[in-house]
Amino acid sequence: QVQLVESGGGLVQPGGSLRLSCTASETVFSFAAMGWYRQAPGQQRELVARITKDGTTNYADSVKGRFTISRDADKNTIWLQMNLLKPADTSVYFCNAMRRETGYWGQGTQVTVSS
């Protein structure tokens, strides 16, 4: 069973930064893609950023230029560097890994942007 363990969430002031990490129980190259989603209360889960096996990245329009997704294959880990955070970024962030038609999820980490 694939396990994804997230860390790095917390409370930050507007304009601040946080870095989320997600460590997989298997090599990141065993997945077609890995990424980050977020879900605010009463809202649908939405894609934030994704990185494919070949290194292609894509981002939600709302985070382009502020968030960066990266990976370290040696550590089976992906990161999400979040800069210039806004209150609208407040959400639970989930790590996701896709293999064929199966998606795996982490437990989620809370990010709160507030003064």
Side-chain angles (χ1 to χ4, degrees):
Q1 180 70 15
V2 173
Q3 291 185 328
L4 303 172
V5 179
E6 301 131 333
S7 63
L11 173 64
V12 63
Q13 292 187 341
S17 298
L18 281 175
R19 190 174 80 156
L20 306 182
S21 68
C22 170
T23 299
S25 56
E26 302 179 20
T27 173
V28 297
F29 292 124
S30 70
F31 305 108
M34 295 185 70
W36 292 93
Y37 288 70
R38 66 187 181 187
Q39 186 169 21
Q43 303 294 318
Q44 288 190 330
R45 192 171 295 189
E46 62 175 0
L47 175 68
V48 176
R50 190 180 72 149
I51 183 166
T52 65
K53 187 175 181 177
D54 66 0
T56 301
T57 58
N58 59 291
Y59 298 89
D61 287 343
S62 60
V63 307
K64 283 180 181 176
R66 299 188 298 122
F67 291 12
T68 303
I69 189 169
S70 60
R71 69 186 175 194
D72 185 333
D74 290 340
K75 297 180 180 179
N76 294 348
T77 297
I78 65 168
W79 288 279
L80 185 68
Q81 178 67 43
M82 305 185 293
N83 298 328
L84 299 175
L85 282 161
K86 306 174 181 179
D89 296 315
T90 295
S91 195
V92 179
Y93 285 70
F94 296 90
C95 180
N96 170 266
M98 291 297 300
R99 178 183 293 152
R100 298 185 184 90
E101 301 302 318
T102 301
Y104 302 93
W105 295 94
Q107 78 283 2
T109 185
Q110 176 71 45
V111 171
T112 302
V113 184
S114 175
S115 55

